[in-house]
Amino acid sequence: MPEPNELLRAARERTPSRIAPGEQMTRAELADAVCAWLWETTETKYELDGHYIAKLERGAVRWPGAAYRSGLRHVLNVADDLELGFVPPGGPGVTDPEPGISSVIDLEDDLVRTGDESVAQLALAEESNVGELTVEQLHADLLRITQNYLRTPTRPLYQRALAIRDRAFRLLTGRQSPHQSRGLYDAAGWALSLLGWIAVDLGRPDIAENHTRTAWACAEAADQDDLRAWVRATQHTIAFWQDDFDQAATYAADGLRYAVGSSTLFLTSAVAVDLARSGRHAEAREALMIAKRTTVRTDGPERGGPFLCTPERAEGIWSDVHLTLGEAELTLAHADHAIAAFEASPHLLRNFGSERMVRLQQAKAHLHLDELDGANDAVFVVLNTPVEYRVRPLVHRISEVAALTRMSKHATDPKARALHDAIRVFTRHPASRATVSK
């Protein structure tokens, strides 16, 4: 007889009913709320009902699908699966992909194909064609995708971004006003930029380059500086994760010519880290001073997700600069401050992807300072990351922590060996081989 899942039941019972304010949420209400949120964020209909919730609470099902876990975390306002009593097969830290479930590995062919298609669209993007469309709907869809990136399963968001790209180009072959044409190019450019971010996160920066070349052509056709700035930011990120730091710095510096809003903060910070990684330490220090003095204009809307740089996201980048410069104390100070800001953010606005990367900066700084317990505490939080959000940059960064652990004076400490082993298990299941939908 399976043990009951008391954590899930308690989370449901302390959540007010959405039908009768002040009362506890029933199982059926919880199921309806999860299905409604999944429909809103993925436009996919799910069949979750009160009977399945009962199975979860009885412990008959210990590890529901990725989509259901995402929806339950959102509706019940918790940060990770363990708070709901969900344990992957084999126990915490062992997250084998669920049998019979679609996986991101299926995206490999799609990634290659869509990258080639984006190159094929380049000639069209550089022309001034016309079409008829309510552009606002495309941008509303894009806003929803970016705000849910790394919050909901990747596959539906990837497919919706791809659909927006294709629809915008298809409509551009028709007739419409020049203003509407620019709006279509703008929508296509943002969709392409998002496809670039997804390709980087799934370990294919080469395909991301295809998307962003056409995204830049769209930004030129739309004459939109904010899009230009974030395309350059995406190209910086692509080059950065290929260790081409000189090219990354070139992209970031060029993007600053167009930056408005939080892209200014991201790009000034990016220039600093690129210069530091390139070994140009004096220039990096100067660029870092500029980044820390940068203020963000808030007179325009921000898209969210990868296209929003909050102060805590920027401070995480600064911590990387200081670590590269050999300043572990300053690295830790900035990382600690950034994590406190992330944790103080409202749950729905919290950027968990950037937060995980900063926690690993914390761990690296602790290891440089010979503080094994501090490193353990920082990494432990990241080890609870759901499999579908273990993007390649995160796997790369946590592997750096493992390497530092092996080289530290604590290498033979049982705690260090346990940390290294836990990271090894974590990296066996990156998001490119993990489930991203029900």
Side-chain angles (χ1 to χ4, degrees):
M1 189 76 176
E3 297 179 1
N5 185 341
E6 298 293 344
L7 292 176
L8 177 61
R9 182 181 60 79
R12 172 177 61 82
E13 291 181 351
R14 68 171 175 263
T15 302
S17 169
R18 299 190 179 196
I19 298 176
E23 297 183 4
Q24 296 174 345
M25 179 177 281
T26 66
R27 291 167 177 163
E29 290 170 2
L30 175 56
D32 289 344
V34 170
C35 289
W37 182 75
L38 288 171
W39 172 256
E40 180 183 351
T41 55
T42 69
E43 292 187 354
T44 300
K45 185 176 181 181
Y46 289 86
E47 302 297 335
L48 182 64
D49 58 21
H51 297 294
Y52 191 78
I53 298 295
K55 288 183 178 180
L56 296 177
E57 292 186 354
R58 290 198 306 270
V61 177
R62 290 291 190 183
W63 189 243
Y68 286 170
R69 297 199 311 274
S70 294
L72 288 165
R73 289 196 302 267
H74 170 81
V75 173
L76 298 176
N77 194 29
V78 300
D80 57 51
D81 295 323
L82 289 179
E83 290 187 48
L84 296 177
F86 296 149
V87 180
V94 180
T95 49
D96 291 322
E98 297 159 336
I101 304 249
S102 61
S103 68
V104 178
I105 196 169
D106 297 330
L107 281 179
E108 184 68 16
D109 291 340
D110 288 346
L111 285 170
V112 176
R113 178 180 57 79
T114 56
D116 292 341
E117 289 173 352
S118 289
V119 173
Q121 301 284 13
L122 182 58
L124 176 61
E126 291 174 331
E127 298 174 3
S128 179
N129 297 321
V130 261
E132 184 176 345
L133 171 76
T134 303
V135 178
E136 291 78 6
Q137 185 59 52
L138 286 178
H139 285 283
D141 290 343
L142 281 165
L143 181 64
R144 184 180 302 172
I145 294 170
T146 56
Q147 291 178 342
N148 282 289
Y149 188 51
L150 293 185
R151 287 180 166 277
T152 63
T154 302
R155 175 176 285 277
L157 300 184
Y158 176 87
Q159 292 171 334
R160 290 178 63 193
L162 180 60
I164 291 171
R165 181 204 70 175
D166 291 346
R167 187 181 181 198
F169 280 116
R170 185 168 59 251
L171 290 165
L172 277 164
T173 63
R175 297 180 58 84
Q176 79 285 114
S177 70
H179 174 74
Q180 290 173 321
S181 294
R182 288 193 296 272
L184 289 174
Y185 281 119
D186 191 34
W190 286 108
L192 285 158
S193 298
L194 184 58
L195 289 171
W197 277 94
I198 293 174
V200 170
D201 281 346
L202 296 182
R204 292 303 303 267
D206 55 325
I207 292 173
E209 289 176 346
N210 295 340
H211 293 308
T212 53
R213 289 190 190 101
T214 306
W216 181 258
C218 288
E220 293 282 85
D223 194 23
Q224 289 292 329
D225 279 346
D226 193 33
L227 176 56
R228 287 186 179 105
W230 280 111
V231 171
R232 289 301 193 221
T234 308
Q235 290 173 315
H236 142 81
T237 303
I238 294 167
F240 182 91
W241 289 109
Q242 295 182 96
D243 293 335
D244 190 351
F245 303 117
D246 287 327
Q247 185 60 58
T250 299
Y251 280 132
D254 187 66
L256 283 170
R257 297 194 294 146
Y258 313 102
V260 293
S262 71
S263 62
T264 306
L265 183 57
F266 181 88
L267 289 166
T268 53
S269 303
V271 168
V273 75
D274 294 335
L275 292 172
R277 292 291 186 108
S278 299
R280 297 150 66 180
H281 290 181
E283 296 173 75
R285 292 182 191 280
E286 183 178 348
L288 184 58
M289 289 177 59
I290 294 172
K292 291 182 179 181
R293 293 197 300 263
T294 298
T295 56
V296 176
R297 289 169 45 192
T298 58
D299 54 350
E302 298 274 1
R303 293 185 176 272
F307 306 124
L308 172 67
C309 186
T310 59
E312 53 268 31
R313 184 182 182 189
E315 198 158 8
I317 300 173
W318 303 344
S319 71
D320 195 344
V321 178
H322 283 297
L323 191 66
T324 304
L325 296 175
E327 299 165 348
E329 294 86 354
L330 289 173
T331 298
L332 191 57
H334 282 297
D336 288 348
H337 191 264
I339 291 300
F342 279 119
E343 292 178 337
S345 300
H347 182 75
L348 295 179
L349 300 177
R350 191 166 166 182
N351 187 331
F352 289 102
S354 294
E355 180 181 335
R356 293 177 192 118
M357 297 293 278
V358 179
R359 288 189 187 277
L360 295 179
Q361 289 297 102
Q362 273 185 316
K364 290 163 74 174
H366 279 300
L367 288 171
H368 277 286
L369 297 170
D370 294 325
E371 298 169 355
L372 180 59
D373 287 341
N376 259 314
D377 290 343
V379 174
F380 177 78
V381 179
V382 179
L383 291 175
N384 290 324
T385 302
V387 183
E388 60 268 26
Y389 303 137
R390 295 181 187 180
V391 294
R392 287 292 176 173
L394 183 68
V395 171
H396 180 91
R397 185 60 52 81
I398 202 170
S399 297
E400 293 176 341
V401 174
L404 281 175
T405 304
R406 289 197 303 270
M407 294 186 295
S408 74
K409 72 176 187 180
H410 301 287
T412 59
D413 188 305
K415 290 182 181 179
R417 290 199 297 268
L419 176 61
H420 183 269
D421 290 344
I423 292 175
R424 185 172 56 185
V425 171
F426 182 95
T427 58
R428 285 175 183 169
H429 304 293
S432 59
R433 298 180 183 275
T435 58
V436 290
S437 58
K438 178 185 170 186

